[in-house]
């Protein structure tokens, strides 16, 4: 079945300096929050220097940040093209999800990642196969960045057996043991203890079982989760045991319809890291190069056994909280300000200006991704729906379903047991 190609609009960007150092932007670009601090990860400590003045968010611009010479900031051509392809894949995939949702191909809540791609690409493309990722309900792009095929992710969204969870997870519960994607989690804070457990497993393998294991774990979550009890408990545990984990806060400034600035007594989430004895960093989450540089150091610290890091990536979602959200609460000026800083446009400009890629090469990548996503939709649409007997599988510890009935047979094999519970 043919579907119209997804159209991804890349917003124009004003001139921006090419920045990629470990020192993130000191400018907090939220609606009303003043400039506060600059934070730098070092291998042994965190240095914090106070800024001299407050700036209005409207006047804040990345070009104000003093950076290292451009010669020290370049990614290689190969890295640049890999990151660009991942950014485009995330954007085009999510745009196509919106189309399919409104066509009735997906059900339930679907939360898109448009605008936040620099965080996923900046962190996950630096991981190894054995490293783990734990996500939230906004998890499609995290799974794609970690290598889960677009076909498997789209099929899961369609609720088909060819999905990465055989159609039983849906939009908010992406999981792939093969790619060490340990799940998307619908309730905020749910995934952080799972990620902490995965990091503990890595440390246990290395220090107790004496295995050659330097695997790290990324725990992604939003700004609203940083006010949740599980977050604090796991920060304490990770710092106490020096676990190889990076807590990545995707601060898009809005917890559904509640502004982060109204809901948090101290909006600077990064400060919660030093409170537990770990580095805390704020970085411009709209710039993949800045995210990537902070991610390199944080992942390196974890892999060397130096413990966890809390990274606050200030980003912005270009769509509503979910596809059911009319997005009427956010200030149009705020949305326009962030749209003008589209992370894909910004990185594309960087690649071309630094002669790391030509327009033709980047257009070829965009065409390739359009075809990959189109193929994923057609594959998902043609894939079979789960059988009724699958309904109770993977719900209980018994992998076959709801245990054994009085007649000695698995209950899921009794057609009357699930009668009326699933219409395919």
């Amino acid at each position: 079945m043919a579907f119209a190609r997804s159209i991804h609009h890349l917003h124009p960007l004003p001139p921006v300096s090419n920045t990629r150092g470990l020192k993130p932007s000191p400018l907090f670009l939220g609606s009303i929050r003043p400039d506060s601090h600059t934070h730098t990860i070092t291998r042994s400590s965190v240095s914090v220097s106070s800024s001299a003045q407050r700036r209005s968010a409207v006047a804040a611009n990345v070009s104000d940040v003093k950076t290292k010479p451009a010669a020290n900031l370049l990614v290689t051509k190969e890295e640049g093209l890999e990151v660009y392809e991942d950014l485009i894949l995330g954007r085009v995939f999510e745009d196509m999800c919106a189309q399919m949702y409104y066509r009735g191909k997906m059900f339930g809540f679907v939360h898109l990642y448009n605008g936040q791609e620099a965080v996923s690409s900046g962190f996950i493309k630096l991981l190894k196969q054995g490293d783990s990722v734990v996500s939230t309900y906004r998890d499609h792009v995290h799974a794609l960045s970690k290598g889960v095929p677009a076909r498997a992710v789209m099929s899961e969204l369609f609720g088909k057996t060819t999905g990465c969870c055989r159609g039983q997870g849906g939009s908010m519960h992406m999981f792939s043991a093969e790619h060490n994607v340990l799940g998307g989690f619908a309730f905020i804070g749910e995934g952080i203890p799972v990620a902490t457990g995965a990091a503990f497993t890595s440390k246990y393998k290395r220090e107790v079982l004496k295995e050659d294991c330097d695997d790290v774990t990324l725990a992604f979550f939003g700004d609203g989760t940083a006010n949740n009890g599980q977050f604090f408990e796991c920060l304490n545990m990770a710092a106490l045991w020096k676990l190889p984990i990076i807590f990545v806060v995707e601060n898009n400034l809005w917890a559904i319809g509640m502004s982060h600035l109204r809901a948090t007594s101290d909006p600077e989430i990064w400060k919660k890291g030093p409170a537990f004895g770990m580095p805390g960093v704020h970085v411009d989450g709209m710039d993949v190069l800045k995210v990537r540089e902070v991610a390199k150091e944080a992942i390196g610290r974890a892999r060397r056994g130096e413990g966890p890091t809390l990274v606050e990536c200030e980003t912005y979602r270009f769509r509503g909280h979910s596809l059911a959200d009319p997005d009427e609460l956010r200030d149009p000026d705020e949305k326009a300000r962030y749209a003008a800083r589209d992370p894909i446009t910004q990185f594309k400009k960087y690649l071309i200006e630094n002669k790391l890629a030509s327009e033709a090469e980047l257009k070829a990548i965009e065409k390739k991704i359009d075809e990959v996503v189109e193929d994923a939709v057609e594959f998902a649409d043609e894939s079979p729906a789960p059988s009724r007997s699958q309904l109770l599988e993977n719900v209980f510890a018994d992998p076959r379903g709801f245990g054994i009935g009085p007649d000695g047979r698995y209950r899921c094999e009794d057609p009357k047991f699930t009668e009326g519970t699933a219409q395919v």
Side-chain angles (χ1 to χ4, degrees):
M1 182 176 182
F3 293 94
R5 290 192 185 280
S6 169
I7 300 174
H8 48 282
H9 297 289
L10 303 181
H11 301 279
L13 185 75
V16 176
S17 61
N18 297 322
T19 58
R20 186 173 171 252
L22 281 177
K23 184 175 290 186
S25 165
L27 303 173
F28 190 99
L29 304 174
S31 326
I32 59 172
R33 183 172 163 189
D35 175 15
S36 182
H37 294 89
T38 300
H39 322 294
T40 304
I41 298 184
T42 66
R43 296 201 171 192
S44 59
S45 65
V46 185
S47 69
V48 181
S49 62
S50 297
S51 60
Q53 61 180 356
R54 299 186 173 210
R55 299 187 184 199
S56 83
V58 177
N61 190 298
V62 193
S63 58
D64 294 329
V65 184
K66 294 181 180 179
T67 63
K68 298 178 182 179
N72 297 328
L73 305 177
L74 297 174
V75 288
T76 66
K77 180 182 180 72
E78 181 181 4
E79 290 170 337
L81 294 179
E82 178 190 36
V83 170
Y84 186 75
E85 182 170 321
D86 194 59
L87 291 168
I88 292 294
L89 175 60
R91 178 68 58 85
V92 175
F93 188 94
E94 296 292 72
D95 283 348
M96 184 62 84
C97 284
Q99 290 188 39
M100 295 303 106
Y101 179 85
Y102 293 125
R103 292 189 189 190
K105 296 293 182 179
M106 299 173 189
F107 305 93
F109 287 102
V110 176
H111 307 80
L112 301 187
Y113 201 72
N114 298 56
Q116 301 182 203
E117 297 90 351
V119 181
S120 182
S121 297
F123 269 95
I124 297 178
K125 301 316 287 183
L126 292 171
L127 297 181
K128 300 192 297 188
Q129 174 68 25
D131 297 331
S132 298
V133 168
V134 176
S135 185
T136 64
Y137 45 73
R138 211 177 297 278
D139 56 353
H140 318 153
V141 176
H142 294 153
L144 292 168
S145 292
K146 194 59 169 67
V148 181
R151 279 185 165 193
V153 178
M154 190 66 76
S155 293
E156 190 59 38
L157 285 157
F158 275 47
K160 300 298 184 71
T161 56
T162 52
C164 55
C165 297
R166 299 170 64 213
Q168 290 179 275
S171 173
M172 297 189 282
H173 301 286
M174 295 291 161
F175 177 90
S176 174
E178 175 188 354
H179 299 89
N180 289 301
V181 175
L182 303 184
F185 291 85
F187 290 99
I188 66 168
E190 267 190 315
I192 300 178
V194 174
T196 305
F200 178 83
T201 299
S202 300
K203 187 178 179 72
Y204 190 85
K205 284 180 178 179
R206 181 167 62 187
E207 297 188 3
V208 178
L209 302 181
K210 305 302 180 184
E211 296 181 12
D212 182 16
C213 178
D214 65 353
D215 297 338
V216 304
T217 299
L218 295 183
F220 290 97
F221 51 95
D223 46 282
T225 302
N227 297 322
N228 188 289
Q230 290 155 300
F231 167 70
F232 296 103
E233 292 172 15
C234 290
L235 253 63
N236 178 67
M237 195 177 296
L240 182 65
W241 294 337
K242 295 186 74 173
L243 299 183
I245 184 171
I246 300 93
F247 298 98
V248 184
V249 188
E250 298 190 274
N251 183 1
N252 61 25
L253 306 182
W254 289 86
I256 308 181
M258 171 61 72
S259 168
H260 172 64
L261 303 172
R262 292 181 60 199
T264 307
S265 58
D266 186 346
E268 294 176 296
I269 300 172
W270 68 269
K271 288 181 179 178
K272 296 174 172 64
F276 286 93
M278 70 177 72
V281 187
H282 174 274
V283 65
D284 178 2
M286 302 295 281
D287 188 327
V288 70
L289 292 175
K290 291 180 182 177
V291 173
R292 184 179 170 89
E293 202 62 24
V294 168
K296 275 183 183 178
E297 183 59 31
I299 292 169
R301 289 188 70 255
R303 224 181 279 291
R304 292 189 299 268
E306 296 175 17
T309 305
L310 173 65
V311 180
E312 178 185 359
C313 300
E314 187 181 325
T315 183
Y316 204 75
R317 52 175 167 80
F318 289 168
R319 293 180 178 268
H321 171 68
S322 74
L323 287 174
D325 175 15
D327 196 20
E328 297 171 344
L329 298 176
R330 297 188 297 174
D331 180 2
D333 289 340
E334 177 184 283
K335 290 193 281 187
R337 190 161 62 249
Y338 279 92
R341 302 184 60 245
D342 188 304
I344 300 179
T345 305
Q346 185 165 324
F347 188 56
K348 183 174 185 177
K349 182 176 186 290
Y350 179 90
L351 291 175
I352 292 172
E353 286 186 351
N354 288 277
K355 297 181 169 44
L356 292 171
S358 65
E359 282 277 6
E361 286 175 302
L362 300 182
K363 284 189 180 299
I365 288 174
E366 293 165 14
K367 183 176 184 297
K368 171 188 170 183
I369 294 304
D370 277 343
E371 292 170 354
V372 166
V373 173
E374 189 80 21
D375 171 74
V377 170
E378 294 181 6
F379 176 80
D381 195 54
E382 294 167 1
S383 294
S387 65
R388 184 175 297 179
S389 63
Q390 189 184 313
L391 181 66
L392 296 177
E393 292 181 23
N394 303 313
V395 176
F396 298 92
D398 185 332
R400 293 290 297 277
F402 193 52
I404 298 176
D407 59 358
R409 296 176 59 197
Y410 278 96
R411 293 184 179 182
C412 64
E413 294 175 352
D414 178 358
K416 291 190 176 297
F417 186 74
T418 56
E419 187 174 333
T421 59
Q423 300 298 324
V424 178

